[in-house]
Amino acid sequence: IMSLKDKELKKIAEPLRQQTLDINNRIIIVGDIHGCYDELLELMEKVDYNETDVLISVGDIVAKGPKTSEVIDYFMHENRYCVMGNHEWTVLRFINNQNSYKLKKHSEHKKLSTNLRDDQLAYLQNLPHTLHIPTYNLVIVHAGVDPNKNIHDNNSYDVMHIRNIFDGVTTELTDKGVQWTTEWNGPEFIVFGHDAKKRIQDTEHALGLDTACVYGERLSCVIYPDKQIVSVEAKKRYSYI
């Protein structure tokens, strides 16, 4: 099941931007931050983050929470990476004049598109959709991958939005079909976010890290190579699902 809106958005999605990182350092992959800057700093302190580590966000660093600008600035440094999430993409659609298909004209995303600095917007514009780390056989995406395709053949809209597979077709819906992770058999291990309602999703070939921090729950990360999951509690509830 795919709505007309989804089909039209797929058409305007960019070509899939992929980036490969040749690294052997400790990697910290953090779930959806959504402007929860204070929780991010607390989590980094808890895991003893230092400049030799590689920090990666699964996307959705913007919107809903209180400190989007601070979070973007935090990631605009060496050895810190982020993939594009659906909320970054929505902000950029205003910048790119793609204002059709039910964009809310008075949304927070539109405000961010005018309030963020040019260098911050440029940073978001250039985010990859996938990050590949061959050392650990990892691929980091925001929402997931179409299990019926090679990762390199995925549509960028899908990797930012997918939740389920219904009749062989990707969908954002959670009440139709089966979750994409149940049909993904590797060989790459996928780390993703996006699906706050399910919290940690730990499967044989994928790990979901969205633990709903902006909704008052937790901010979580996974540390490689030991695959340890670490979380901190949200300081308050900033938004509602």
Side-chain angles (χ1 to χ4, degrees):
I1 283 186
M2 180 173 288
S3 68
L4 176 62
K5 174 190 171 187
D6 290 340
K7 290 179 180 178
E8 294 298 331
L9 288 174
K10 256 193 168 184
K11 289 179 183 178
I12 66 171
E14 302 168 285
L16 188 69
R17 280 198 304 278
Q18 305 177 77
Q19 183 176 356
T20 298
L21 302 178
D22 183 17
I23 50 179
N24 296 286
N25 307 49
R26 187 175 77 141
I27 301 174
I28 302 165
I29 308 171
V30 62
D32 300 42
I33 300 169
H34 280 298
C36 296
Y37 180 65
D38 295 337
E39 288 84 351
L40 173 62
L41 294 184
E42 183 179 341
L43 181 60
M44 292 303 97
E45 183 177 357
K46 187 172 183 178
V47 300
D48 295 323
Y49 170 71
N50 65 70
E51 60 185 17
T52 66
D53 295 323
V54 175
L55 176 63
I56 300 174
S57 163
V58 300
D60 278 6
I61 62 176
V62 309
K64 297 190 176 185
K67 296 182 179 179
T68 283
S69 182
E70 289 89 337
V71 175
I72 295 175
D73 284 345
Y74 189 82
F75 276 91
M76 291 172 61
H77 288 274
E78 188 176 0
N79 284 341
R80 298 176 189 175
Y81 300 87
C82 180
V83 296
M84 188 177 293
N86 57 300
H87 283 271
E88 285 83 22
W89 191 59
T90 302
V91 170
L92 293 171
R93 285 175 61 206
F94 283 104
I95 299 296
N96 297 331
N97 296 316
Q98 294 170 331
N99 294 339
S100 57
Y101 312 124
K102 299 184 180 179
L103 272 179
K104 297 177 181 178
K105 294 181 179 179
H106 303 291
S107 74
E108 179 187 6
H109 300 87
K110 184 174 184 179
K111 292 177 182 176
L112 288 172
S113 74
T114 57
N115 292 341
L116 291 175
R117 302 189 313 267
D118 288 346
D119 63 324
Q120 292 174 321
L121 292 170
Y123 173 78
L124 298 182
Q125 186 81 59
N126 290 303
L127 291 176
H129 300 106
T130 68
L131 273 173
H132 300 247
I133 305 176
T135 303
Y136 300 119
N137 194 33
L138 286 176
V139 175
I140 294 94
V141 299
H142 177 60
V145 297
D146 184 342
N148 298 311
K149 294 180 179 179
N150 182 289
I151 285 180
H152 306 291
D153 296 328
N154 266 249
N155 180 282
S156 65
Y157 181 82
D158 281 341
V159 300
M160 293 185 288
H161 294 84
I162 186 174
R163 288 193 176 97
N164 280 14
I165 301 293
F166 182 68
D167 282 349
V169 178
T170 61
T171 178
E172 294 183 60
L173 301 175
T174 57
D175 59 346
K176 301 288 184 182
V178 298
Q179 191 175 1
W180 70 267
T181 55
T182 64
E183 297 193 2
W184 174 250
N185 297 312
E188 301 91 346
F189 190 88
I190 310 294
V191 181
F192 66 102
H194 187 56
D195 205 346
K197 291 183 178 179
K198 293 188 177 70
R199 307 299 197 267
I200 290 288
Q201 301 175 62
D202 193 358
T203 69
E204 184 177 357
H205 298 288
L207 174 65
L209 284 175
D210 189 351
T211 49
C213 182
V214 77
Y215 306 118
E217 296 296 325
R218 292 172 293 135
L219 183 64
S220 299
C221 68
V222 62
I223 302 171
Y224 272 79
D226 60 4
K227 299 183 181 180
Q228 178 188 11
I229 296 174
V230 181
S231 302
V232 296
E233 298 294 322
K235 298 186 181 303
K236 63 179 289 185
R237 185 172 190 163
Y238 305 101
S239 185
Y240 292 83
I241 294 178

